[in-house]
Amino acid sequence: MTSYDDLLAFDRDHLWHPYSSMTAPSPVQQVLSARGVRLRLQRDSGPVEVVDAMSSWWCAIHGYAVPELDAAVVDQLGRMSHVMFGGLTHEPAVQLGRRLVDLAPAGLDKVFLADSGSVSVEVAMKMAWQAHARDGIGRTKFFTVRGGYHGDTFSPMSVTDPDGGMHSLYAGFLPEHVFADRPPATGEPLEEWKSATQALFEQHADDVAAVILEPLLQGAGGMHAYDPEAVRFLATLAREHGALVIFDEIATGFWRTGTAWAADACGVTPDVLCVGKALTGGYVTLAAVLTTAEVAAAVDASPAGAMMHGPTFMANPLACAVAVASLDLLAATDQAANIARINAALDEGLAPARDLGSVADVRTLGAVGVVELGTPVDVRRVTEAALARGVWVRPFRNLVYSMPPYVTSEEDLRTITTAIVEAVEEVHG
Ligand SMILES: *Cc1c(COP(=O)(O)O)cnc(C)c1O
């Protein structure tokens, strides 16, 4: 075993963390283990247990060391951990495919299993490209709204918010797509945004292969909730002009915003749906792209004659088996009621933050609770202040938020919201 000091020293000198500097890294916490909704951390003072307010970037919806999920992995491990998916198939992939087709909006019954959210967005964009390549014209643009986040590989980055830093950094390398303004926040008037968006769309209509969106809630782009009517408007624009509709539900899927899919709340069935993050209950990376028979046929009618993507670890059996177990667990509870329970607790617990001078907005949607400051968060100090109150949060930009596991009790939700409000007050006033 590496000593605590050696472990942190090696980590600091050799390991990149997400969006981190190798030369001036931010502090990291060592996790010893995780169980239920608690992470056991090694701190300078010794081991401590904290409540996880993040679901490990929104994945661990059932918490950690979940007996049913552990059992699914162990059981599958006894058969095989991996086989190639080229020319072979297996029970976990077929079971997962069935469950996804059953849960997805009707008509989305063709499934491509990918290794991560970003890769699923790559695949969705390639599908849209190929589907239009059939008529020999080709449509080279994607249409989206500002403020979105679709992943870190190049194609997803090219439709992620252009003002978020990545675009200027990679200018000249990223393809240029078409960005409408971010839709107004829920409850604000839409008319002006609609007419500007329509005018912009019409300028590019013949070139647009697809509209790509995070329906209802933009996640990593700023936890921005917007009106279902804006989603319907964009989908209608796309269809009037022969473009496909891609929903990136990697963050919003599996009940996070209160319905199985944000698409359900919008009353729109997309042509292509990307899912990831919570798909395996946070156990291991896996994502999926679902589409219709019509799009699949259009893809096959392209010059390639097939969908041109095939990851080495496509449909990894361990990942599929744990995803099946996770979807079974989700189905065993009335999630509409459960998410409403979490929403009520986040709403009530975060409300006092409205009285803080540093706070610009407090909002909740489903199992998402957000405190938005007027200035960037002092991430290091707010993280420490929350840890001191027994809670793990990971703020970004001007946001301190929670996306707790769905199994979090009222008492633990109270611990989370109290820690967030008090940490913000202590550090930012
Ligand atoms: C996290 C996320 C992605 C990227 O998924 P990775 O698994 O990190 O590649 C894409 N789109 C949305 C909406 C996300 O929240």
Side-chain angles (χ1 to χ4, degrees), residues 19 57-59 115-121 148-153 156 160 213-214 217-220 248-252 274 276-277 285-287:
Y19 312 103
W57 273 342
W58 331 340
C59 300
D115 354 22
S116 71
S118 301
V119 172
S120 76
V121 173
Y149 176 80
H150 297 286
D152 287 351
T153 58
T160 288
L213 292 177
E214 294 159 276
L217 178 76
Q218 294 182 317
D248 176 350
E249 293 231 29
I250 292 165
T252 50
C274 295
K277 286 206 162 86
T285 181
L286 184 69

Short mmCIF file of all heavy atoms in Angstrom, two decimals, residues 19 57-59 115-121 148-153 156 160 213-214 217-220 248-252 274 276-277 285-287, ligand 1:
data_model
loop_
_atom_site.label_atom_id
_atom_site.label_comp_id
_atom_site.label_asym_id
_atom_site.label_seq_id
_atom_site.Cartn_x
_atom_site.Cartn_y
_atom_site.Cartn_z
N TYR A 19 -9.69 18.57 -16.95
CA TYR A 19 -9.48 20.01 -17.17
C TYR A 19 -8.46 20.58 -16.19
O TYR A 19 -8.69 21.61 -15.57
CB TYR A 19 -10.80 20.79 -17.03
CG TYR A 19 -11.93 20.18 -17.82
CD1 TYR A 19 -12.92 19.44 -17.18
CD2 TYR A 19 -11.98 20.32 -19.20
CE1 TYR A 19 -13.94 18.85 -17.91
CE2 TYR A 19 -13.00 19.74 -19.93
CZ TYR A 19 -13.97 19.01 -19.27
OH TYR A 19 -14.98 18.42 -19.99
N TRP A 57 -20.47 12.96 -11.05
CA TRP A 57 -20.84 13.57 -12.33
C TRP A 57 -22.10 12.91 -12.92
O TRP A 57 -22.14 12.54 -14.07
CB TRP A 57 -19.66 13.62 -13.30
CG TRP A 57 -18.84 14.87 -13.10
CD1 TRP A 57 -19.24 16.01 -12.45
CD2 TRP A 57 -17.50 15.13 -13.54
NE1 TRP A 57 -18.24 16.95 -12.46
CE2 TRP A 57 -17.16 16.44 -13.12
CE3 TRP A 57 -16.56 14.37 -14.25
CZ2 TRP A 57 -15.92 17.01 -13.39
CZ3 TRP A 57 -15.33 14.95 -14.51
CH2 TRP A 57 -15.02 16.25 -14.10
N TRP A 58 -23.09 12.76 -12.03
CA TRP A 58 -24.47 12.48 -12.42
C TRP A 58 -24.71 11.03 -12.84
O TRP A 58 -25.75 10.71 -13.40
CB TRP A 58 -24.97 13.45 -13.52
CG TRP A 58 -24.31 14.80 -13.48
CD1 TRP A 58 -23.66 15.38 -12.39
CD2 TRP A 58 -24.19 15.77 -14.52
NE1 TRP A 58 -23.18 16.63 -12.71
CE2 TRP A 58 -23.48 16.90 -14.02
CE3 TRP A 58 -24.65 15.79 -15.84
CZ2 TRP A 58 -23.20 18.02 -14.79
CZ3 TRP A 58 -24.36 16.92 -16.61
CH2 TRP A 58 -23.65 18.02 -16.08
N CYS A 59 -23.75 10.15 -12.54
CA CYS A 59 -23.85 8.75 -13.00
C CYS A 59 -24.40 7.81 -11.94
O CYS A 59 -25.21 6.93 -12.23
CB CYS A 59 -22.47 8.21 -13.35
SG CYS A 59 -21.65 9.10 -14.63
N ASP A 115 -18.83 3.71 -26.35
CA ASP A 115 -18.06 3.58 -25.11
C ASP A 115 -18.19 4.75 -24.14
O ASP A 115 -17.86 4.60 -22.97
CB ASP A 115 -16.56 3.36 -25.31
CG ASP A 115 -16.10 3.17 -26.74
OD1 ASP A 115 -16.81 3.60 -27.66
OD2 ASP A 115 -15.03 2.61 -26.90
N SER A 116 -18.62 5.91 -24.61
CA SER A 116 -18.75 7.04 -23.69
C SER A 116 -19.72 8.03 -24.31
O SER A 116 -20.08 7.91 -25.49
CB SER A 116 -17.40 7.72 -23.47
OG SER A 116 -17.02 8.42 -24.65
N GLY A 117 -20.12 9.00 -23.52
CA GLY A 117 -21.06 9.99 -24.01
C GLY A 117 -20.55 10.72 -25.24
O GLY A 117 -21.25 10.86 -26.25
N SER A 118 -19.30 11.17 -25.17
CA SER A 118 -18.73 11.91 -26.30
C SER A 118 -18.75 11.07 -27.57
O SER A 118 -19.07 11.55 -28.66
CB SER A 118 -17.29 12.34 -26.00
OG SER A 118 -17.25 13.16 -24.86
N VAL A 119 -18.40 9.80 -27.43
CA VAL A 119 -18.38 8.92 -28.60
C VAL A 119 -19.80 8.73 -29.14
O VAL A 119 -20.01 8.68 -30.35
CB VAL A 119 -17.71 7.57 -28.27
CG1 VAL A 119 -17.87 6.59 -29.43
CG2 VAL A 119 -16.23 7.78 -27.97
N SER A 120 -20.80 8.66 -28.24
CA SER A 120 -22.17 8.51 -28.74
C SER A 120 -22.59 9.74 -29.53
O SER A 120 -23.33 9.63 -30.52
CB SER A 120 -23.15 8.23 -27.59
OG SER A 120 -23.43 9.39 -26.84
N VAL A 121 -22.14 10.92 -29.12
CA VAL A 121 -22.46 12.13 -29.89
C VAL A 121 -21.73 12.10 -31.24
O VAL A 121 -22.30 12.47 -32.28
CB VAL A 121 -22.13 13.41 -29.08
CG1 VAL A 121 -22.30 14.66 -29.94
CG2 VAL A 121 -23.00 13.49 -27.83
N GLY A 148 -24.69 25.06 -24.83
CA GLY A 148 -24.78 23.60 -24.72
C GLY A 148 -23.44 22.96 -24.38
O GLY A 148 -22.38 23.60 -24.43
N TYR A 149 -23.51 21.69 -24.02
CA TYR A 149 -22.30 20.88 -23.81
C TYR A 149 -22.57 19.48 -24.37
O TYR A 149 -23.55 18.84 -23.98
CB TYR A 149 -21.92 20.78 -22.33
CG TYR A 149 -20.73 19.85 -22.14
CD1 TYR A 149 -19.44 20.30 -22.38
CD2 TYR A 149 -20.92 18.52 -21.79
CE1 TYR A 149 -18.36 19.44 -22.28
CE2 TYR A 149 -19.84 17.65 -21.67
CZ TYR A 149 -18.56 18.12 -21.91
OH TYR A 149 -17.49 17.27 -21.83
N HIS A 150 -21.70 19.02 -25.26
CA HIS A 150 -21.94 17.71 -25.86
C HIS A 150 -20.74 16.78 -25.78
O HIS A 150 -20.75 15.72 -26.40
CB HIS A 150 -22.40 17.88 -27.32
CG HIS A 150 -23.70 18.60 -27.43
ND1 HIS A 150 -24.91 18.01 -27.10
CD2 HIS A 150 -24.00 19.88 -27.76
CE1 HIS A 150 -25.89 18.89 -27.26
NE2 HIS A 150 -25.37 20.03 -27.64
N GLY A 151 -19.68 17.17 -25.06
CA GLY A 151 -18.54 16.27 -24.89
C GLY A 151 -17.25 16.91 -25.34
O GLY A 151 -17.23 18.04 -25.85
N ASP A 152 -16.16 16.18 -25.18
CA ASP A 152 -14.83 16.75 -25.32
C ASP A 152 -14.05 16.29 -26.55
O ASP A 152 -12.94 16.76 -26.78
CB ASP A 152 -13.99 16.42 -24.07
CG ASP A 152 -14.43 17.25 -22.87
OD1 ASP A 152 -15.24 18.18 -23.06
OD2 ASP A 152 -13.96 16.96 -21.76
N THR A 153 -14.58 15.35 -27.33
CA THR A 153 -13.90 15.02 -28.58
C THR A 153 -14.32 16.05 -29.61
O THR A 153 -15.22 16.85 -29.37
CB THR A 153 -14.24 13.59 -29.02
OG1 THR A 153 -15.65 13.49 -29.16
CG2 THR A 153 -13.76 12.56 -28.01
N PRO A 156 -18.30 16.61 -30.92
CA PRO A 156 -19.12 17.19 -29.84
C PRO A 156 -18.67 18.60 -29.44
O PRO A 156 -19.49 19.47 -29.20
CB PRO A 156 -18.92 16.20 -28.68
CG PRO A 156 -18.57 14.92 -29.33
CD PRO A 156 -17.80 15.27 -30.55
N THR A 160 -20.62 22.35 -28.98
CA THR A 160 -20.65 22.85 -27.60
C THR A 160 -20.52 24.37 -27.64
O THR A 160 -19.99 24.93 -28.60
CB THR A 160 -19.50 22.18 -26.82
OG1 THR A 160 -19.85 20.80 -26.60
CG2 THR A 160 -19.22 22.84 -25.48
N LEU A 213 -29.43 19.08 -29.56
CA LEU A 213 -29.84 19.81 -28.35
C LEU A 213 -29.74 18.93 -27.12
O LEU A 213 -29.97 17.72 -27.20
CB LEU A 213 -31.33 20.09 -28.40
CG LEU A 213 -31.92 21.04 -29.39
CD1 LEU A 213 -33.42 21.01 -29.20
CD2 LEU A 213 -31.37 22.43 -29.13
N GLU A 214 -29.51 19.56 -25.97
CA GLU A 214 -29.85 18.94 -24.69
C GLU A 214 -31.26 19.43 -24.37
O GLU A 214 -31.42 20.60 -24.03
CB GLU A 214 -28.92 19.42 -23.58
CG GLU A 214 -27.47 19.01 -23.71
CD GLU A 214 -26.59 19.95 -22.90
OE1 GLU A 214 -26.23 21.03 -23.43
OE2 GLU A 214 -26.28 19.64 -21.74
N LEU A 217 -32.81 20.93 -20.27
CA LEU A 217 -31.78 21.37 -19.33
C LEU A 217 -30.41 21.27 -19.98
O LEU A 217 -29.98 20.19 -20.37
CB LEU A 217 -31.81 20.50 -18.06
CG LEU A 217 -30.74 20.84 -17.02
CD1 LEU A 217 -31.10 22.12 -16.26
CD2 LEU A 217 -30.53 19.69 -16.03
N GLN A 218 -29.72 22.41 -20.06
CA GLN A 218 -28.31 22.38 -20.48
C GLN A 218 -27.50 22.13 -19.22
O GLN A 218 -27.59 22.90 -18.26
CB GLN A 218 -27.94 23.71 -21.12
CG GLN A 218 -28.67 23.95 -22.43
CD GLN A 218 -28.25 25.25 -23.09
OE1 GLN A 218 -28.10 26.27 -22.43
NE2 GLN A 218 -28.06 25.22 -24.41
N GLY A 219 -26.72 21.05 -19.22
CA GLY A 219 -26.02 20.65 -18.00
C GLY A 219 -24.70 21.37 -17.81
O GLY A 219 -24.64 22.47 -17.25
N ALA A 220 -23.61 20.76 -18.29
CA ALA A 220 -22.28 21.30 -18.05
C ALA A 220 -22.09 22.68 -18.66
O ALA A 220 -21.16 23.40 -18.30
CB ALA A 220 -21.23 20.33 -18.59
N ASP A 248 -29.43 15.01 -27.14
CA ASP A 248 -28.36 14.53 -26.27
C ASP A 248 -28.93 14.47 -24.86
O ASP A 248 -29.01 15.49 -24.17
CB ASP A 248 -27.16 15.48 -26.37
CG ASP A 248 -26.03 15.11 -25.42
OD1 ASP A 248 -26.24 14.24 -24.55
OD2 ASP A 248 -24.96 15.73 -25.52
N GLU A 249 -29.37 13.27 -24.45
CA GLU A 249 -29.95 13.10 -23.12
C GLU A 249 -28.96 12.39 -22.19
O GLU A 249 -29.35 11.66 -21.28
CB GLU A 249 -31.28 12.33 -23.20
CG GLU A 249 -32.36 13.12 -23.92
CD GLU A 249 -33.67 13.19 -23.13
OE1 GLU A 249 -33.63 13.16 -21.88
OE2 GLU A 249 -34.73 13.26 -23.78
N ILE A 250 -27.68 12.60 -22.45
CA ILE A 250 -26.65 11.96 -21.64
C ILE A 250 -26.76 12.42 -20.18
O ILE A 250 -26.57 11.65 -19.25
CB ILE A 250 -25.26 12.25 -22.24
CG1 ILE A 250 -25.15 11.52 -23.59
CG2 ILE A 250 -24.13 11.84 -21.30
CD1 ILE A 250 -24.00 11.98 -24.46
N ALA A 251 -27.12 13.70 -19.99
CA ALA A 251 -27.30 14.21 -18.62
C ALA A 251 -28.75 14.09 -18.16
O ALA A 251 -29.02 13.81 -17.00
CB ALA A 251 -26.86 15.66 -18.55
N THR A 252 -29.70 14.32 -19.08
CA THR A 252 -31.10 14.43 -18.65
C THR A 252 -31.83 13.09 -18.61
O THR A 252 -32.91 13.01 -18.02
CB THR A 252 -31.87 15.36 -19.63
OG1 THR A 252 -31.62 14.93 -20.97
CG2 THR A 252 -31.43 16.80 -19.47
N CYS A 274 -29.11 10.23 -27.74
CA CYS A 274 -27.87 9.79 -27.10
C CYS A 274 -28.09 9.63 -25.60
O CYS A 274 -28.62 10.54 -24.96
CB CYS A 274 -26.76 10.83 -27.29
SG CYS A 274 -26.27 11.06 -29.00
N GLY A 276 -26.12 8.12 -21.86
CA GLY A 276 -24.83 7.72 -21.29
C GLY A 276 -24.87 7.89 -19.79
O GLY A 276 -25.84 7.49 -19.14
N LYS A 277 -23.85 8.51 -19.24
CA LYS A 277 -23.73 8.81 -17.81
C LYS A 277 -24.41 7.78 -16.89
O LYS A 277 -23.76 6.83 -16.49
CB LYS A 277 -24.22 10.23 -17.54
CG LYS A 277 -23.20 11.28 -18.03
CD LYS A 277 -23.29 12.59 -17.29
CE LYS A 277 -22.06 13.43 -17.48
NZ LYS A 277 -22.04 14.28 -18.67
N THR A 285 -18.00 2.89 -17.87
CA THR A 285 -18.41 3.72 -18.99
C THR A 285 -19.19 2.94 -20.05
O THR A 285 -18.80 1.82 -20.42
CB THR A 285 -17.19 4.43 -19.63
OG1 THR A 285 -17.66 5.27 -20.70
CG2 THR A 285 -16.17 3.45 -20.16
N LEU A 286 -20.29 3.52 -20.49
CA LEU A 286 -21.09 2.95 -21.58
C LEU A 286 -22.08 4.02 -22.03
O LEU A 286 -22.55 4.80 -21.20
CB LEU A 286 -21.87 1.71 -21.12
CG LEU A 286 -22.67 0.98 -22.21
CD1 LEU A 286 -21.75 0.29 -23.22
CD2 LEU A 286 -23.61 -0.08 -21.61
N ALA A 287 -22.35 4.06 -23.31
CA ALA A 287 -23.36 4.99 -23.84
C ALA A 287 -24.09 4.29 -24.97
O ALA A 287 -23.68 3.19 -25.39
CB ALA A 287 -22.69 6.27 -24.34
C1 LIG B 1 -21.24 14.36 -19.90
C2 LIG B 1 -21.92 14.71 -21.16
C3 LIG B 1 -21.40 14.34 -22.41
C4 LIG B 1 -20.07 13.62 -22.55
O1 LIG B 1 -20.08 12.36 -21.99
P1 LIG B 1 -18.67 11.63 -21.64
O2 LIG B 1 -19.08 10.28 -21.16
O3 LIG B 1 -18.02 12.47 -20.60
O4 LIG B 1 -17.89 11.59 -22.90
C5 LIG B 1 -22.10 14.68 -23.54
N1 LIG B 1 -23.26 15.34 -23.47
C6 LIG B 1 -23.81 15.71 -22.29
C7 LIG B 1 -25.13 16.41 -22.27
C8 LIG B 1 -23.15 15.43 -21.09
O5 LIG B 1 -23.67 15.82 -19.93
#
